[in-house]
Structure formats: structure tokens, C-alpha cells
Amino acid sequence: MADKEDGGGSDTGVKLETRPKTKKPPLYKVLILNDDYTPMEFVVHVLERFFGMSHAQAFELMLTVHKKGLAVVGVFSFEIAETKVAQVMDFAQRHQHPLQCTMEKE
Ligand code: TYC
């Protein structure tokens, strides 16, 4: 956004600051990766449980990951993305599945 001169034609030379002083926080994509061992139903359950998807949405996204290798499951602030990744990795590990979840700056 560019700074603007004071309007009104009198040209007083007063510069009004219109640029916001605070930038929007960066966003992070959370990705789920395919592997050959994690059961499809487990991935569907993860997507429902940690990303609030319906069963139909979760099943469709799981199939996308299965076919394409990976997919973005959501976009979040750094702290939320980090928490989601940690929750998924912990849950997968506790069930002894090699499911991988990562984050990437948008
Ligand atoms: N490829 C797995 C299978 O055939 C299913 C799967 C889907 C695993 C998505 C991980 O992120 C994943 N059992």
C-alpha cells in the first residue's frame, strides 16, 4: 500500500501514514505424505480427528494422498501448524504407523 499525500488541494506537505505497522503473520501448509504401510482407515481417522473433516472429505483426501504422494490438509499460523504436525506424528507413532506429516511456509 503506497503512502498518500494529504488531500484537499492545498498541498500542505503533510504525509499521512497509511501502511499498516503490523504485518500479517505468515501461514504454513500442513502436508500428509503417502507411505506403503499406514492403513487407509487410520489416515481417514487422523483427518477426521485432527483436521475436523467429515468422513467423506477425509476419505477423498486420503485417496488423493494415496494416488499423488502428498496433499495439503490445511493452512494455519505457525503455532497451530506445529501443534497439528506434533499431534499427528505422536498419534501415528503410538499406533506404530510410519505416517508422515510436515509443514511448509506458504
Ligand atoms: N498407501 C497406504 C496404503 O495403501 C494408504 C495411505 C494413504 C497411507 C495416505 C498414508 O498419507 C497416507 N495402505
Side-chain angles (χ1 to χ4, degrees), residues 32-40 43 62 65-66 99-100:
I32 294 271
L33 277 60
N34 188 36
D35 66 74
D36 293 339
Y37 305 103
T38 305
M40 288 184 172
V43 179
M62 178 281 296
V65 178
H66 178 69
L99 181 65
Q100 294 293 309

Side-chain angles (χ1 to χ4, degrees), residues 8 11 24-25 29 33 38 42 46 50 54-55 63 73 76-77 79 85 90 93 98 100 103 106:
D11 193 14
K24 288 195 192 106
K29 297 183 279 193
L33 277 60
T38 305
F42 183 81
V46 162
F50 298 112
S54 69
H55 190 76
L63 273 187
V73 297
F76 308 96
S77 68
E79 282 197 322
V85 170
D90 179 64
Q93 213 161 43
Q100 294 293 309
M103 60 194 272
E106 209 181 35

Side-chain angles (χ1 to χ4, degrees), residues 34-93:
N34 188 36
D35 66 74
D36 293 339
Y37 305 103
T38 305
M40 288 184 172
E41 269 313 312
F42 183 81
V43 179
V44 171
H45 180 69
V46 162
L47 296 174
E48 290 172 336
R49 181 170 175 143
F50 298 112
F51 298 94
M53 293 183 193
S54 69
H55 190 76
Q57 279 179 314
F59 195 87
E60 196 178 313
L61 196 70
M62 178 281 296
L63 273 187
T64 301
V65 178
H66 178 69
K67 288 186 211 153
K68 304 230 161 141
L70 81 179
V72 175
V73 297
V75 178
F76 308 96
S77 68
F78 182 84
E79 282 197 322
I80 303 287
E82 216 186 18
T83 302
K84 301 269 180 205
V85 170
Q87 285 173 329
V88 172
M89 294 301 283
D90 179 64
F91 191 66
Q93 213 161 43

